[in-house]
Amino acid sequence: MLLLAMDTATPAVTVALHDGDSVVARSSQVDARRHGELLLPAVHRVLREAGLKLDAVTGIVVGVGPGPYTGLRVGLVTAATFASALGGVPVHGLCTLDGLAYASGMEEPFVVATDARRKEVYWARYDNCRTRTTDPAVDRPADIAGQVAGLPAVGAGARLYGDVFPDARDPEHQSAAALAALAAERLKAGEAFLEPRPLYLRRPDAQVPKNYKVVTPK
C-alpha cells in the first residue's frame, strides 16, 4: 500500500505519503491564496523525499471539505487527474474535519471548527478522534454557542472565535499525514469512504447576474 494524501480545503496546502504502516513523507504550507501554485510542488517534494515516483502510488486520499470553492477544487481536481494518469487507482474521499479530529488524538467529546470566512465556521462534534456525531455544518459561532458550550475545540475557527471556543487546542491546521493515517486505518478495517466530490455546504460567492445590462443598440 502506498497512499498519496492531499487536502486543500483550508488555508493549509498539505500532502503526505503513507505506506500502510506509517507516514514516509509529508509537506504542509499555510497560504490561503496559493493552493494552485503550491500543491504540485508539494507532491513532487514528498515523492522525492521518499525516493519514489508517482507510479508507485496505489491509492489517493483527498479531503472533500467542507471548504471554500476555489481552494477545495484544487485538491479534488488534482486527485482525479493523478488517478486517471495512474490507470484508475482508487480515490478515497474523507471529510476534512475528520482529518483534524484524528490528528487531535482526543478521546473525549470535542468540536472541530475551521474558518469558513463571512464570520462563519465549518464545524462538527465528535465523541473522540475517530467518531463524528454530527454532520458537517456551516454557522455563525454565536448561533452554535449552546451546542458547543463546555467542549474543547480544534481548528483555526476555534482560535478565531475564542469567546465561543474558549478551550482551543491543537491542531490548528489540517495535516495530510493525519488524513493518510486515518485512511489507512479505515482501509484495513474495510470501512467505506466518501465520493471524491466537493462538500461546499453553501452557495459560491460568485453569482450569475439576474439582470443583464443591454449594451447593443436596439
Side-chain angles (χ1 to χ4, degrees):
M1 180 190 298
L2 185 66
L3 300 175
L4 173 63
M6 63 188 72
D7 197 318
T8 58
T10 72
V13 180
T14 179
V15 178
L17 284 170
H18 196 289
D19 65 5
D21 294 316
S22 62
V23 174
V24 297
R26 69 186 75 193
S27 172
S28 290
Q29 296 171 269
V30 178
D31 192 324
R33 298 181 180 274
R34 299 175 62 211
H35 296 85
E37 289 180 54
L38 298 176
L39 182 58
L40 287 179
V43 172
H44 292 313
R45 191 159 49 248
V46 298
L47 288 169
R48 184 175 62 248
E49 180 182 333
L52 297 167
K53 294 185 178 180
L54 185 61
D55 59 10
V57 170
T58 61
I60 297 173
V61 181
V62 63
V64 302
Y69 176 76
T70 302
L72 177 55
R73 65 178 179 172
V74 171
L76 287 163
V77 169
T78 302
T81 301
F82 282 159
S84 177
L86 292 170
V89 302
V91 181
H92 308 295
L94 283 174
C95 174
T96 293
L97 303 182
D98 290 355
L100 278 156
Y102 188 81
S104 76
M106 295 176 65
E107 294 299 333
E108 60 185 286
F110 67 102
V111 177
V112 175
T114 62
D115 181 17
R117 305 173 187 171
R118 305 185 194 173
K119 299 182 179 180
E120 294 178 328
V121 293
Y122 297 118
W123 71 284
R125 286 183 53 152
Y126 291 78
D127 268 350
N128 54 60
C129 64
R130 292 175 174 83
T131 308
R132 176 160 42 86
T133 58
T134 64
D135 289 333
V138 58
D139 290 289
R140 289 183 176 271
D143 294 340
I144 60 170
Q147 299 176 64
V148 303
L151 295 175
V154 303
R159 292 179 182 270
L160 276 174
Y161 301 101
D163 53 335
V164 176
F165 305 102
D167 188 3
R169 305 183 185 180
D170 290 332
E172 179 179 359
H173 296 293
Q174 175 68 309
S175 163
L179 203 69
L182 175 60
E185 190 174 287
R186 290 186 177 181
L187 280 168
K188 290 178 180 179
E191 297 179 10
F193 288 83
L194 300 175
E195 290 294 321
R197 297 174 181 170
L199 182 62
Y200 294 130
L201 298 187
R202 67 185 181 200
R203 297 177 63 84
D205 292 329
Q207 300 289 331
V208 176
K210 294 181 179 179
N211 298 306
Y212 289 94
K213 181 179 179 181
V214 177
V215 295
T216 56
K218 296 183 178 179

